[in-house]
Amino acid sequence: MRKWWMTRNGYQIYPRSFFDSNNDGIGDIKGITLKLDYLKELGIDLIWICPFYDSPMDDNGYDVRNFFDVAKEFGTLDDFKELLKKAKTLDIKIILDFVLNHTSDEHPWFIESRSSINNDKRDYYIWEEGKLVNDKLMPPTNWGSFFSGSAWNYDQQTNMFYMKIFSNKMPDLNWKNKEVRNEMINVGKWWLDLGVDGFRIDAVSHLDRAPFIDSTKSNEIVLDWNKFSNLPKVHTYLKELNEKLFSKYDALTIGEVGGAASIKSGLKYSAFDRFELSMVFNFDHNWCNNLNDITDYKDLKTDVLSLKRVFNNWQTAFTDKGWLPLNWLNHDQPRLMSHYGDLAFFKESAKMLATALYLMRGTPFIYQGEEIGMTNYHFTKFSEFNDVSSINHYHSLDKDLSEKEKLRIVAKSSRDHARTGIQWENSEFAGFSKVKPKVLINSNYKDINVLDNISDESSIWHHYKKILELRKNSEYQEVLVFGKYKQLKLKDPNLYIYERESNDKKILVINSFSKDVYEYKVTYKVKNILLKNYEDILIKNNIIKLRPYESVVLEVFK
Ligand code: NOJ
């Protein structure tokens, strides 16, 4: 099966930190419009924009107050229409974040719902009585939320608890209610009619919940994914959305299915013959290192074998059956270079990581700033955190820990690393804004910025551009987009090597994840060198000498 979104090159935008056009310190929609030419130049023709809907911004827009309007700080609906218009002239498709699982507690539905148990909208959300334990009113179950604490919040007005698997200000919608489903179909229809090309669907795996019985994982409050992830009804809801909405517009839909989705469930969501979603973002390849076990970043080590296994398993399971997005990390995760890169071999490792991922079968989604190798932020005080989950995490820590220790723990997993302002140039505030930004700016913008990258032919940015060009505007598009994927040397702990093959072409993608030197014997006759991350390649009698993080893409004779 072939679809329009398979040959596209995607890019993810977190509007708040992308580009500030009106100098209020926050990125905005006009800022995106102004940078469309930049994206086009890089080779992008599909963008996913994170939420810019009207919102009190408890979770930077994932808490939607009005699905049909734009948050003031991001601009106006007319700004968005302008963006769409310009994108169309550049042939850039736009998909939006569609938040189905919850709204803001300031959404009019919730304001009504909480007002009385007899209200028409009561059933739009999930309300339950608490439990009396030793005369103390406790939540209905011990289920924990993703953002620390209970998955239930007590509401005084009716003396009941509402479910909220994210923050207190993000009550979960009740998808069992047909009216809720119809409302959300209308929301989707409204944006598709306006001209958007599809959606990244937020937290989609959580729309169905298990019966409200305590998790046996612990006696305490505990985050038990099984209670609200990948349960059967989600598929019924998605089939309904597909039939009534997505299929009518040939929309691209990418579901966020969280870390708990197996390959089997990934296929259930997005196999071609399931008529649910176009693809799913899974997170199996996001945590293939020892981040959770270390206290010092200098001990961070990529588990190359597990990364290779994950890639191999997903790529092979989806052959002929479905399609995958290719993304390293996103706005909820650390920066790629601080996570899997090697700062001592900055350019080499950044380029190798790009080559390793984006020449597989699927649609690339580059996360903003990745194309210049942006890195994690160095936090020095608690007030620097903006992310609600980091703030909750901080408050949930043992009070006896020192301030420094708390900072270290929260910084390790904070989502704010990925949300610092884009480093456009080596000028004040990194060219992100002309006033002091309200988002953090990484002090390394003097060395890492877009302008310098563009003017240096050997930069990371130019390497990304070359990859996107190969996938898009070259005789290799067919093999690189649609060709078969086969991983070689499965057990090698340092080299990630795979072939792509079509009827008439064969490509060999060789990547070293090590700072040591290795030799690799190419067993085919080399036809062409398509891409490299060193100036030359060292090859003799078909044996390639791979330097630290070297990456080479060869066309070989079949
Ligand atoms: C996933 C989004 O990527 C994240 O940023 C957000 O906080 C949660 N869903 C809740 O909407």
Side-chain angles (χ1 to χ4, degrees), residues 59 62 99 102 147 166 170 200 202-203 256 330-332 415 419:
D59 188 17
Y62 280 95
V99 189
H102 44 265
F147 291 176
F166 294 97
M170 298 158 84
R200 176 265 191 181
D202 186 61
E256 186 212 21
N330 67 18
H331 64 291
D332 295 330
R415 306 191 301 177
R419 301 176 182 187

Side-chain angles (χ1 to χ4, degrees), residues 15-16 22 24 26-29 51-57 60-61 63-77 79 191:
R16 194 179 185 76
N22 62 346
D24 64 354
I26 293 175
D28 44 49
I29 292 179
F52 51 73
Y53 312 104
D54 173 47
S55 158
M57 299 289 161
N60 284 348
D63 47 324
V64 182
R65 184 164 46 200
N66 180 354
F67 287 104
F68 305 105
D69 204 358
V70 169
K72 282 201 182 56
E73 59 217 277
F74 292 143
T76 63
L77 201 56
D79 292 345
W191 286 99

Side-chain angles (χ1 to χ4, degrees), residues 364-379:
F365 277 90
I366 294 162
Y367 180 63
Q368 62 179 32
E370 180 192 317
E371 73 274 24
I372 54 168
M374 277 178 63
T375 60
N376 278 358
Y377 185 79
H378 179 65
F379 289 92

